[in-house]
Amino acid sequence: MLDDNVPQPWRARTTLVLTLTLVAVGLGNLQRLPYLIGEYGGGVFFLAYLASVMLLSVPILIAEIVLGSLGRGSPGLAMHWAASAANVDSRWRHLALLQAFLGLIMAAMAALMAAWCFRWAVLIFEGDLAAASAIDVSKIYLEHIKDGPGQFLGSLALVVITGSLSALGVRLGMGFLAWVVLPIVAITLLGVLDFIFLYTDLRSVSEFLFARDLSAWRLDAMWVALSSAGITLGAGLGVGMALGAQSPPGLPWGRSILAVAVLDTAFMIVTAVIVCAALFEVNVAPAEGLATVFIGLAYAFANLPLGETYGALFYFSMACIAAGATVILVEPTVLMIGRDWGAGRLGGSILAHTLIALVVAFCLFFDAAILANLATLTVNWLIPASLLAMSLFVGWLMPRPVLRGELYREPLWLFWLWWRVLRWLVPPVCAAWLIRGLL
């Protein structure tokens, strides 16, 4: 039986699946994937991306969930307990610190993205972009980029909201995200998709996203698919350990994470179709970067029939997803501050979200390029290093009977497949990803 010092678990695995789906969708590369899928051969790139998710992100996220379930505490305590069980150096607990730091950085980026999306939802709904030209939208975008104080105030307001949800705890705060926010977002996106079906020509979308153009497949496409898939489920960010510790024991962890991957892929396809169809309808080619999301897509919605309404709904959905991801990504830091340092749930939430606000302020006021540099450092170096360390620890150091004991509800063949992939395939792939980022 769990004592008062251990986070009390959710009552159903569905909450875990929906919560992880929310953070996965929030990390789903809205500004990159629609362009990348079409640029690298459509269906060919999508299959490579899907294979990377199943063979890289899913095994590691299962491993992190297992460690969290074993430790039943903060990520730091879970790693310390696991190191003791494996009879290895307790300094492996520092891996939890790295993952919590990465989660905090990604949470700051998600908070900034949420504030931007909320701002664009208001602009479109109020008609400020009605019938605007691409140049007009570009001017508004550049003015927003230069408005550091305005961006910070918007981000600060959002951080207050996410901090309040975090302080409510996993049953109320994250339960609200899983059972209210995510279903509302899903219904809203389906409504926007229906609008896209009615008012756009989907033939160009089909040719762009679902083509089988092998000539567009290049060696670098494999690495792009790998890096995109490597971050999409939140593996390597401490989220798995944090949520695994607060979930009911004895769940079928493997099948739960596979369900998350399926739901995340479904959301990704829906958003990709919406983005590409809207852009093609106004003769704008999809491109990589924030400009596509906040200039090209805004221009497209502003010039489509009923685009103000459905564009506002789309940006509002993206804002809710990013805000929800912020709450979940910072959870490892909240647990470590609250439980390891004795600050309590409320104190942990306040301090963790204060750190998010400081990171956002530093990016906005001190160095405009630091956000891009942080993203590059995180994706190319720190996340692959985190994934590599986790795969080596669980795949090579943790006793197999202990792992099987946590995954006893999975079929034996599925357990063996997961363990062998984690042991033999994931480490060299992560090492190659890391080396390529360092070169």
Short mmCIF file of all heavy atoms in Angstrom, two decimals, residues 234-271:
data_model
loop_
_atom_site.label_atom_id
_atom_site.label_comp_id
_atom_site.label_asym_id
_atom_site.label_seq_id
_atom_site.Cartn_x
_atom_site.Cartn_y
_atom_site.Cartn_z
N GLY A 234 7.50 12.50 -26.08
CA GLY A 234 7.98 13.02 -24.80
C GLY A 234 8.97 12.11 -24.12
O GLY A 234 9.27 12.30 -22.93
N ALA A 235 9.52 11.11 -24.84
CA ALA A 235 10.53 10.25 -24.24
C ALA A 235 11.80 11.05 -23.99
O ALA A 235 12.14 11.96 -24.74
CB ALA A 235 10.83 9.07 -25.18
N GLY A 236 12.51 10.69 -22.93
CA GLY A 236 13.75 11.37 -22.60
C GLY A 236 13.58 12.67 -21.85
O GLY A 236 14.56 13.35 -21.57
N LEU A 237 12.34 13.02 -21.49
CA LEU A 237 12.07 14.28 -20.81
C LEU A 237 11.59 14.09 -19.36
O LEU A 237 11.17 15.05 -18.72
CB LEU A 237 11.02 15.08 -21.59
CG LEU A 237 11.35 15.36 -23.06
CD1 LEU A 237 10.19 16.09 -23.73
CD2 LEU A 237 12.64 16.16 -23.19
N GLY A 238 11.63 12.86 -18.89
CA GLY A 238 11.21 12.58 -17.52
C GLY A 238 9.72 12.44 -17.33
O GLY A 238 9.26 12.10 -16.23
N VAL A 239 8.95 12.69 -18.38
CA VAL A 239 7.50 12.64 -18.27
C VAL A 239 7.03 11.22 -17.96
O VAL A 239 6.12 11.01 -17.13
CB VAL A 239 6.84 13.15 -19.57
CG1 VAL A 239 5.34 12.93 -19.54
CG2 VAL A 239 7.16 14.63 -19.77
N GLY A 240 7.65 10.23 -18.61
CA GLY A 240 7.25 8.85 -18.38
C GLY A 240 7.41 8.43 -16.93
O GLY A 240 6.51 7.82 -16.34
N MET A 241 8.56 8.77 -16.33
CA MET A 241 8.78 8.41 -14.92
C MET A 241 7.80 9.14 -14.00
O MET A 241 7.28 8.57 -13.04
CB MET A 241 10.22 8.72 -14.53
CG MET A 241 11.23 7.72 -15.08
SD MET A 241 12.87 7.93 -14.38
CE MET A 241 13.42 9.41 -15.21
N ALA A 242 7.56 10.43 -14.29
CA ALA A 242 6.67 11.22 -13.44
C ALA A 242 5.24 10.69 -13.48
O ALA A 242 4.57 10.58 -12.44
CB ALA A 242 6.71 12.68 -13.87
N LEU A 243 4.76 10.36 -14.66
CA LEU A 243 3.38 9.88 -14.78
C LEU A 243 3.26 8.41 -14.40
O LEU A 243 2.22 7.99 -13.88
CB LEU A 243 2.87 10.10 -16.20
CG LEU A 243 2.80 11.56 -16.68
CD1 LEU A 243 2.15 11.66 -18.05
CD2 LEU A 243 2.05 12.43 -15.67
N GLY A 244 4.30 7.62 -14.67
CA GLY A 244 4.27 6.22 -14.27
C GLY A 244 4.16 6.06 -12.77
O GLY A 244 3.52 5.13 -12.27
N ALA A 245 4.79 6.99 -12.02
CA ALA A 245 4.74 6.93 -10.56
C ALA A 245 3.36 7.24 -10.01
O ALA A 245 3.04 6.89 -8.88
CB ALA A 245 5.75 7.92 -9.98
N GLN A 246 2.52 7.90 -10.83
CA GLN A 246 1.22 8.36 -10.35
C GLN A 246 0.07 7.64 -11.04
O GLN A 246 -1.06 8.11 -11.03
CB GLN A 246 1.12 9.88 -10.55
CG GLN A 246 2.22 10.62 -9.80
CD GLN A 246 2.28 12.09 -10.14
OE1 GLN A 246 1.77 12.93 -9.41
NE2 GLN A 246 2.90 12.40 -11.26
N SER A 247 0.37 6.51 -11.65
CA SER A 247 -0.63 5.69 -12.32
C SER A 247 -0.89 4.43 -11.52
O SER A 247 -0.05 4.02 -10.71
CB SER A 247 -0.15 5.33 -13.73
OG SER A 247 0.10 6.49 -14.49
N PRO A 248 -2.03 3.80 -11.72
CA PRO A 248 -2.30 2.55 -10.99
C PRO A 248 -1.24 1.50 -11.29
O PRO A 248 -0.84 1.35 -12.45
CB PRO A 248 -3.67 2.13 -11.53
CG PRO A 248 -4.28 3.38 -12.07
CD PRO A 248 -3.14 4.20 -12.58
N PRO A 249 -0.77 0.80 -10.29
CA PRO A 249 0.23 -0.26 -10.55
C PRO A 249 -0.38 -1.41 -11.33
O PRO A 249 -1.58 -1.67 -11.28
CB PRO A 249 0.65 -0.69 -9.13
CG PRO A 249 -0.52 -0.34 -8.27
CD PRO A 249 -1.12 0.91 -8.86
N GLY A 250 0.49 -2.10 -12.07
CA GLY A 250 0.05 -3.30 -12.77
C GLY A 250 -0.68 -3.07 -14.07
O GLY A 250 -1.36 -3.97 -14.56
N LEU A 251 -0.56 -1.89 -14.63
CA LEU A 251 -1.21 -1.64 -15.92
C LEU A 251 -0.44 -2.31 -17.05
O LEU A 251 0.76 -2.55 -16.94
CB LEU A 251 -1.29 -0.13 -16.19
CG LEU A 251 -2.20 0.71 -15.30
CD1 LEU A 251 -2.15 2.17 -15.73
CD2 LEU A 251 -3.63 0.19 -15.36
N PRO A 252 -1.11 -2.59 -18.17
CA PRO A 252 -0.39 -3.10 -19.35
C PRO A 252 0.36 -1.95 -20.02
O PRO A 252 -0.12 -1.34 -20.98
CB PRO A 252 -1.53 -3.65 -20.23
CG PRO A 252 -2.73 -2.86 -19.84
CD PRO A 252 -2.57 -2.55 -18.37
N TRP A 253 1.55 -1.65 -19.52
CA TRP A 253 2.28 -0.44 -19.94
C TRP A 253 2.56 -0.44 -21.43
O TRP A 253 2.45 0.60 -22.09
CB TRP A 253 3.59 -0.33 -19.16
CG TRP A 253 3.45 -0.32 -17.68
CD1 TRP A 253 3.93 -1.24 -16.80
CD2 TRP A 253 2.78 0.67 -16.88
NE1 TRP A 253 3.60 -0.90 -15.50
CE2 TRP A 253 2.90 0.27 -15.53
CE3 TRP A 253 2.10 1.84 -17.17
CZ2 TRP A 253 2.37 1.00 -14.48
CZ3 TRP A 253 1.57 2.57 -16.12
CH2 TRP A 253 1.70 2.16 -14.80
N GLY A 254 2.95 -1.58 -21.98
CA GLY A 254 3.30 -1.63 -23.39
C GLY A 254 2.15 -1.25 -24.29
O GLY A 254 2.27 -0.39 -25.17
N ARG A 255 1.01 -1.87 -24.07
CA ARG A 255 -0.16 -1.57 -24.90
C ARG A 255 -0.68 -0.15 -24.67
O ARG A 255 -1.23 0.47 -25.58
CB ARG A 255 -1.26 -2.59 -24.63
CG ARG A 255 -0.99 -3.95 -25.30
CD ARG A 255 -1.96 -5.01 -24.84
NE ARG A 255 -1.66 -5.45 -23.47
CZ ARG A 255 -2.44 -6.27 -22.77
NH1 ARG A 255 -3.57 -6.71 -23.29
NH2 ARG A 255 -2.09 -6.63 -21.54
N SER A 256 -0.49 0.37 -23.45
CA SER A 256 -0.90 1.75 -23.18
C SER A 256 -0.08 2.73 -24.02
O SER A 256 -0.63 3.67 -24.61
CB SER A 256 -0.73 2.06 -21.69
OG SER A 256 -1.55 1.23 -20.90
N ILE A 257 1.23 2.52 -24.08
CA ILE A 257 2.08 3.42 -24.86
C ILE A 257 1.82 3.25 -26.35
O ILE A 257 1.87 4.22 -27.11
CB ILE A 257 3.57 3.18 -24.53
CG1 ILE A 257 3.80 3.35 -23.03
CG2 ILE A 257 4.45 4.13 -25.31
CD1 ILE A 257 3.30 4.67 -22.46
N LEU A 258 1.55 2.04 -26.79
CA LEU A 258 1.18 1.85 -28.21
C LEU A 258 -0.10 2.62 -28.54
O LEU A 258 -0.22 3.19 -29.63
CB LEU A 258 1.01 0.36 -28.50
CG LEU A 258 2.30 -0.47 -28.56
CD1 LEU A 258 1.96 -1.94 -28.68
CD2 LEU A 258 3.17 -0.02 -29.73
N ALA A 259 -1.05 2.64 -27.61
CA ALA A 259 -2.27 3.42 -27.83
C ALA A 259 -1.96 4.91 -27.94
O ALA A 259 -2.55 5.61 -28.76
CB ALA A 259 -3.26 3.16 -26.68
N VAL A 260 -1.02 5.39 -27.12
CA VAL A 260 -0.61 6.79 -27.21
C VAL A 260 -0.03 7.08 -28.59
O VAL A 260 -0.34 8.11 -29.21
CB VAL A 260 0.44 7.12 -26.12
CG1 VAL A 260 1.00 8.52 -26.32
CG2 VAL A 260 -0.20 7.00 -24.73
N ALA A 261 0.82 6.18 -29.09
CA ALA A 261 1.43 6.39 -30.41
C ALA A 261 0.38 6.44 -31.51
O ALA A 261 0.46 7.26 -32.44
CB ALA A 261 2.44 5.28 -30.69
N VAL A 262 -0.63 5.58 -31.41
CA VAL A 262 -1.70 5.57 -32.42
C VAL A 262 -2.49 6.87 -32.38
O VAL A 262 -2.77 7.49 -33.42
CB VAL A 262 -2.62 4.35 -32.20
CG1 VAL A 262 -3.85 4.44 -33.10
CG2 VAL A 262 -1.86 3.05 -32.50
N LEU A 263 -2.88 7.31 -31.19
CA LEU A 263 -3.65 8.55 -31.06
C LEU A 263 -2.83 9.76 -31.52
O LEU A 263 -3.35 10.65 -32.21
CB LEU A 263 -4.09 8.74 -29.61
CG LEU A 263 -5.16 7.78 -29.10
CD1 LEU A 263 -5.38 7.97 -27.60
CD2 LEU A 263 -6.47 7.98 -29.85
N ASP A 264 -1.56 9.79 -31.17
CA ASP A 264 -0.70 10.89 -31.59
C ASP A 264 -0.59 10.94 -33.11
O ASP A 264 -0.65 12.02 -33.72
CB ASP A 264 0.69 10.73 -30.97
CG ASP A 264 1.68 11.75 -31.49
OD1 ASP A 264 1.37 12.96 -31.41
OD2 ASP A 264 2.75 11.36 -31.97
N THR A 265 -0.45 9.79 -33.75
CA THR A 265 -0.37 9.74 -35.21
C THR A 265 -1.66 10.22 -35.85
O THR A 265 -1.64 10.94 -36.86
CB THR A 265 -0.05 8.31 -35.67
OG1 THR A 265 1.18 7.87 -35.06
CG2 THR A 265 0.09 8.24 -37.18
N ALA A 266 -2.79 9.85 -35.26
CA ALA A 266 -4.08 10.31 -35.80
C ALA A 266 -4.19 11.83 -35.71
O ALA A 266 -4.62 12.48 -36.68
CB ALA A 266 -5.22 9.65 -35.02
N PHE A 267 -3.81 12.41 -34.58
CA PHE A 267 -3.82 13.87 -34.46
C PHE A 267 -2.88 14.50 -35.47
O PHE A 267 -3.19 15.54 -36.06
CB PHE A 267 -3.40 14.28 -33.04
CG PHE A 267 -4.54 14.38 -32.07
CD1 PHE A 267 -4.83 13.33 -31.21
CD2 PHE A 267 -5.32 15.52 -32.00
CE1 PHE A 267 -5.87 13.41 -30.31
CE2 PHE A 267 -6.36 15.63 -31.09
CZ PHE A 267 -6.65 14.56 -30.24
N MET A 268 -1.71 13.90 -35.66
CA MET A 268 -0.74 14.46 -36.59
C MET A 268 -1.28 14.49 -38.02
O MET A 268 -1.11 15.47 -38.75
CB MET A 268 0.56 13.65 -36.52
CG MET A 268 1.71 14.24 -37.33
SD MET A 268 1.79 13.57 -39.00
CE MET A 268 2.40 11.92 -38.66
N ILE A 269 -1.95 13.41 -38.43
CA ILE A 269 -2.51 13.35 -39.79
C ILE A 269 -3.60 14.41 -39.96
O ILE A 269 -3.65 15.11 -40.99
CB ILE A 269 -3.06 11.94 -40.07
CG1 ILE A 269 -1.91 10.93 -40.13
CG2 ILE A 269 -3.84 11.93 -41.39
CD1 ILE A 269 -2.37 9.50 -40.25
N VAL A 270 -4.46 14.54 -38.96
CA VAL A 270 -5.54 15.53 -39.05
C VAL A 270 -4.98 16.95 -39.18
O VAL A 270 -5.40 17.72 -40.05
CB VAL A 270 -6.48 15.43 -37.83
CG1 VAL A 270 -7.44 16.61 -37.78
CG2 VAL A 270 -7.26 14.12 -37.87
N THR A 271 -4.03 17.31 -38.33
CA THR A 271 -3.47 18.67 -38.39
C THR A 271 -2.71 18.88 -39.68
O THR A 271 -2.74 19.98 -40.24
CB THR A 271 -2.56 18.93 -37.18
OG1 THR A 271 -1.56 17.91 -37.09
CG2 THR A 271 -3.35 18.95 -35.90
#
